[in-house]
Amino acid sequence: MIKAVRGTRDLLPPETALWNFVEAAARDVFRAYNFQEIRTPVFEQTALFARGVGEETDIVSKEMYTWEDRGRAASDKGQSLTLRPEATAGIVRAYIEHQLADRGLNKLYCIGPMFRRERPQKGRYRQFYQIDAEIIGPASAGSESPARDAELLEMLATLLDRLGITDWNLQLNSVGCANDRAQFNEALRQALAPVQDRMCDDCQRRALTNPLRVFDCKVPADQPIIETLPRISQFLDEACRTHFEAVQAILKKVEVPFSLNDRLVRGLDYYTRTAFEFTHGALGAQNAILGGGRYDGLSEALGGPPAPGIGFAIGEDRLVMSLEEKTPAESVMPKPDAYIAPLAGMNGDAARLARALRRHDLVIELGDDTFRLKKSFEAAARAGAKYILIVGEDEVKADAFALKNLGTGEQISVPRADLARKIQG
Ligand code: AMP
C-alpha cells in the first residue's frame, strides 16, 4: 500500500468545506481592505531563501526541501531549487522582477501550500497552508508608515472576529533596524560568552554566527539562561522607538488589544521593526495561529530597490483547527436543495430538469433511473437534500412534478415553470 508521505495529509470533505469557509472569509476581508491576489511558484531558486530568510535560521539550515535540478539540454543549466518554506521571499522576488514599485503601494495576498521538514505533530505538518498578505512599495508611497502596520493588524483582528475566533491574543514587539541589530547582537554576544557552553549545540553555534536566533531555542534547559539575556527593546534607536509607539497609538485608537512581548523575534532574519504573532488558547503547544512583521531591508538584500514592507502568514491548518469546535465542518458544507429521482427510462428528462434548476443557482443532486424509488429516497436523505423531485413519464406529460419536502413530508405537484421558485422559497 502506498500511503501519503509522513507529515503530509489529505483534506477530505466535509473538512474541506471549513477550509473554503475560511478562505472565502479571508478573501472578503482582503477585498474590504483593497488587497489583490498574487500567485507565485511553489518552488524557487534555493538562493532566494538562503539570502532572504537567512542561512542561520532553522528554516534554511534544517527544514527546506531542496534538490539539484539537472538540466536536460546543454542550454538548460542545472540549478538548486527549493520548495517554498514561506511566501514573502517569493512575493518580494516578484515585486523586484516585475517592477511593481511603479504601481506605488502594493497590497497583495496569496493562499497556498508551504513546505518545511519539521517533526510532524498535531498542528505541525511538512506540507501546510498559509494565507499570506503583504503591503510593499517605495517609501514615497507610504509603505514605511506605522499606519500600514496598524492597518494590517486591525485587518487580522477583523478576520479572526469574523470567523468567530474571539479569544485571540496579539503579541507585539519591535525588533529594530539594522543599526539597532548590530548593537543588540554585540550585547548578546557579550552576554552569551560566559554562559553559552551550558547551552544546547544549536545555541552555541548561534552565539557565534547569529546570536539573535538564540531566542528561537525551544530546549527547556536553555530557557532560564535566555530569560537573563538583554532584550531588543533596550536597543531601539529614536526612529524605531517612535515608529513602534505610533503603531501602538493607532491600535489603541481602533481598539485592537495587544500585549508587548520583547522576547518575540520571529524565526526569520528579514524582520525589522514591528514583529507580531496572534496566539490562541485552544492550540496548545503550537499556539501561534499566525505571525508576521516588517521587512524594510528584504528587497535590497535580494538585489532590488529599497522597498519597505510588512506582511503576515496565517497558518491555515491551525486556523481551521481552532474553528472546528465551534463551527463543525458539516454546518458550512453546502447541502443539495433537491435530489432528482428519475423513474425508469427518465434519465434524459431528469438531466434536462437538473440543468434548468442549476442555472437558478440551486444545488441539485441527480439520481439514476435504475434506482427504485425507495433507494432514491435513501440516497436523498443521505445527501441531506431538502427536497426530492420525482421525474416520471406522467410528470413530463403534465409538465408538473412531484416535489416532496423531506423535512416536513409535505408533497405537492409543481409546474415546471414554478419549480425553482418553490425550491428556493
Ligand atoms: P512562521 O512565519 O514560521 O511563524 O509561520 C506562520 C504561521 O504558519 C505560524 O504561526 C503557524 O500558524 C503556521 N505554520 C508554520 N509552520 C507550520 C507547520 N509546519 N505546520 C502547520 N502550520 C505551520
Side-chain angles (χ1 to χ4, degrees):
M1 235 300 262
I2 297 175
K3 294 199 171 153
V5 173
R6 184 170 136 84
T8 71
R9 60 193 181 133
D10 303 305
L11 301 171
L12 307 173
E15 201 194 343
T16 42
L18 202 48
W19 286 70
N20 282 327
F21 171 73
V22 164
E23 289 171 18
R27 287 178 196 276
D28 276 356
V29 170
F30 287 138
R31 192 178 318 117
Y33 289 76
N34 197 29
F35 279 67
Q36 314 291 332
E37 183 166 10
I38 181 172
R39 300 190 190 194
T40 64
V42 298
F43 59 88
E44 298 267 4
Q45 293 189 43
T46 305
L48 174 68
F49 305 112
R51 266 201 262 163
V53 177
E55 298 273 10
E56 262 310 309
T57 59
D58 283 352
I59 292 179
V60 172
S61 65
K62 305 180 197 165
E63 297 171 358
M64 295 203 306
Y65 286 97
T66 296
W67 71 99
E68 205 54 42
D69 197 42
R70 281 178 298 123
R72 292 173 68 105
S75 59
D76 196 8
K77 278 201 293 257
Q79 53 186 339
S80 178
L81 301 179
T82 291
L83 286 178
R84 64 180 180 193
E86 59 92 56
T88 307
I91 294 175
V92 175
R93 189 228 4 100
Y95 172 91
I96 299 167
E97 189 167 333
H98 305 290
Q99 283 111 35
L100 299 187
D102 296 347
R103 305 178 182 196
L105 195 66
N106 291 261
K107 298 166 89 173
L108 305 168
Y109 75 88
C110 89
I111 302 177
M114 307 294 154
F115 307 85
R116 296 181 192 172
R117 191 189 279 107
E118 294 186 90
R119 197 170 57 78
Q121 61 186 84
K122 191 170 160 59
R124 194 197 278 158
Y125 308 98
R126 291 179 165 179
Q127 171 170 338
F128 59 98
Y129 294 79
Q130 287 187 339
I131 301 172
D132 186 281
E134 314 287 345
I135 305 180
I136 180 171
S140 60
S143 58
E144 219 169 351
S145 167
R148 298 288 70 82
D149 306 46
E151 182 182 31
L152 206 73
L153 290 164
E154 186 269 319
M155 176 169 81
L156 282 164
T158 298
L159 174 59
L160 294 178
D161 287 346
R162 181 174 170 146
L163 288 171
I165 297 180
T166 44
D167 45 347
W168 50 261
N169 187 347
L170 165 56
Q171 312 258 334
L172 199 59
N173 193 22
S174 173
V175 295
C177 56
N179 280 338
D180 313 335
R181 200 70 67 76
Q183 287 182 39
F184 180 50
N185 274 332
E186 193 42 47
L188 274 180
R189 267 200 193 91
Q190 284 178 23
L192 283 165
V195 292
Q196 67 197 49
D197 51 351
R198 286 190 272 132
M199 300 182 81
C200 70
D201 289 349
D202 278 342
C203 280
Q204 298 196 17
R205 200 191 62 242
R206 291 164 175 148
L208 296 174
T209 53
N210 190 349
L212 183 75
R213 297 271 65 96
V214 164
F215 286 97
D216 299 338
C217 178
K218 304 221 169 55
V219 177
D222 286 3
Q223 300 312 309
I225 300 177
I226 295 170
E227 273 306 307
T228 67
L229 296 175
R231 299 300 161 87
I232 184 73
S233 54
Q234 303 158 291
F235 294 84
L236 298 183
D237 66 19
E238 188 55 34
C240 289
R241 198 183 321 247
T242 311
H243 191 275
F244 192 36
E245 278 163 10
V247 175
Q248 295 176 54
I250 303 172
L251 286 178
K252 284 185 184 144
K253 199 92 181 176
V254 295
E255 296 176 27
V256 171
F258 58 88
S259 20
L260 297 178
N261 173 1
D262 63 3
R263 251 203 78 160
L264 181 80
V265 297
R266 313 268 306 124
L268 302 86
D269 276 352
Y270 54 60
Y271 287 113
T272 54
R273 294 192 165 173
T274 312
F276 56 87
E277 279 181 2
F278 280 71
T279 56
H280 183 249
L283 290 175
Q286 308 299 324
N287 71 349
I289 325 179
L290 70 95
R294 192 164 262 294
Y295 45 82
D296 292 344
L298 179 54
S299 172
E300 286 147 293
L302 297 175
I310 181 164
F312 63 74
I314 303 175
E316 197 177 352
D317 305 70
R318 292 188 198 169
L319 187 62
V320 168
M321 253 171 70
S322 30
L323 268 184
E324 262 160 359
E325 247 173 50
K326 261 200 234 154
T327 312
E330 290 282 355
S331 72
V332 291
M333 192 167 77
K335 299 271 164 45
D337 295 302
Y339 182 102
I340 298 185
L343 302 182
M346 301 305 289
N347 268 350
D349 288 283
R352 179 171 167 227
L353 195 55
R355 178 166 160 90
L357 293 175
R358 285 168 178 153
R359 289 187 173 196
H360 282 91
D361 244 8
L362 289 167
V363 182
I364 304 295
E365 182 64 272
L366 186 52
D368 187 280
D369 66 8
T370 63
F371 285 13
R372 295 282 179 92
L373 208 47
K374 181 165 178 286
K375 187 167 168 183
S376 290
F377 269 90
E378 284 163 6
R382 198 172 326 114
K386 273 190 231 110
Y387 289 95
I388 190 163
L389 182 58
I390 295 159
V391 178
E393 259 172 60
D394 295 346
E395 278 84 358
V396 170
K397 228 174 274 157
D399 213 30
F401 299 82
L403 181 71
K404 181 169 184 171
N405 184 321
L406 291 170
T408 64
E410 183 200 16
Q411 182 171 327
I412 46 175
S413 174
V414 182
R416 186 190 294 270
D418 297 342
L419 270 173
R421 209 171 333 114
K422 180 71 196 159
I423 295 170
Q424 271 153 354

